[in-house]
Amino acid sequence: MLKIILMVVIAYLLGSIPSGLWIGQHFYNKDIRQLGSGNIGTTNTYRVLGPKAGTVVLVVDILKGTLAASQPYLFHSNINPLLIGIFASLGHTVSIFNHFHGGKAVATSAGILLAYNPPMFLLASAIFVAVLLITSMASAASIIGITSIFVIALVMHDYILATVAGILTAVVIYRHRSNINRIIHGQESMVSFGLGHYLKNRK
């Protein structure tokens, strides 16, 4: 039990690392909480700090989830990695290092999936990229990506993955509620590539 508690604490602390915030503050002298969408995740980092910083944040946020969920392998525990990794997503959304505020947990959740099931991670990544290229909306790609994993897990009868993915889907949808409202009203921000961006600029 002590080992499990230790893994949970480590997972939460790993997830709590606000990479976008710290990179902005220490390397760009910018607080991304005050710029763009105000979110500390990958998309807003790309928007405010540029592709180099955005890519670093994406990789770090994925690794947070992967390292957290890999602990049962490292500590030779029989507990399902997903049940530890989910605390990294919790840390990302309510970070102890950011006054219990945080990002939307998409990249960190993907990192958890990478540790648990690499082929499923690749599938989720492919779905994310496909939706992003079609809609030009990172928010739509995030929501559809995590929801797809929930549905696929149900079809595969992986009920632990389905449960964790279901919880994370609910969190991601809740954290994207303002984005969903903007999508409905045709006001959501788009990335500078993809079919959606092309069609929008043809009008």
Side-chain angles (χ1 to χ4, degrees):
M1 179 60 71
L2 183 60
K3 184 185 291 186
I4 292 175
I5 293 173
L6 177 62
M7 288 190 291
V8 166
V9 171
I10 291 174
Y12 172 76
L13 291 176
L14 282 170
S16 289
I17 297 172
S19 54
L21 174 62
W22 286 355
I23 288 172
Q25 290 176 331
H26 295 294
F27 294 99
Y28 294 84
N29 198 31
K30 291 182 179 180
D31 186 341
I32 64 173
R33 295 173 299 185
Q34 308 300 323
L35 301 166
S37 67
N39 190 267
I40 65 170
T42 300
T43 302
N44 197 43
T45 304
Y46 268 105
R47 184 182 297 120
V48 173
L49 304 180
K52 184 183 295 185
T55 301
V56 172
V57 169
L58 174 63
V59 171
V60 171
D61 284 355
I62 289 175
L63 286 177
K64 292 191 307 187
T66 302
L67 291 172
S70 295
Q71 289 185 94
Y73 307 130
L74 299 174
F75 290 116
H76 306 290
S77 172
N78 292 325
I79 190 170
N80 190 298
L82 294 172
L83 301 180
I84 299 298
I86 194 171
F87 287 94
S89 291
L90 174 65
H92 187 81
T93 55
V94 285
S95 169
I96 193 173
F97 304 120
N98 186 29
H99 309 292
F100 297 100
H101 296 290
K104 297 176 179 177
V106 176
T108 302
S109 298
I112 297 168
L113 188 60
L114 175 59
Y116 176 72
N117 189 328
M120 188 77 80
F121 167 81
L122 294 176
L123 176 60
S125 299
I127 293 171
F128 178 90
V129 171
V131 175
L132 182 63
L133 291 175
I134 293 170
T135 66
S136 300
M137 299 178 191
S139 54
S142 299
I143 294 168
I144 293 174
I146 188 67
T147 304
S148 298
I149 296 305
F150 169 62
V151 174
I152 292 169
L154 285 176
V155 172
M156 293 176 60
H157 305 291
D158 187 339
Y159 296 117
I160 294 181
L161 177 57
T163 300
V164 172
I167 293 171
L168 293 175
T169 296
V171 170
V172 168
I173 290 175
Y174 177 77
R175 299 288 289 179
H176 282 84
R177 60 194 186 282
S178 59
N179 302 84
I180 294 171
N181 184 60
R182 289 194 295 270
I183 290 173
I184 292 172
H185 293 90
Q187 300 171 342
E188 177 65 332
S189 298
M190 291 185 174
V191 297
S192 58
F193 57 85
L195 181 61
H197 178 264
Y198 171 75
L199 294 175
K200 182 179 181 180
N201 284 277
R202 283 195 62 188
K203 294 180 180 179

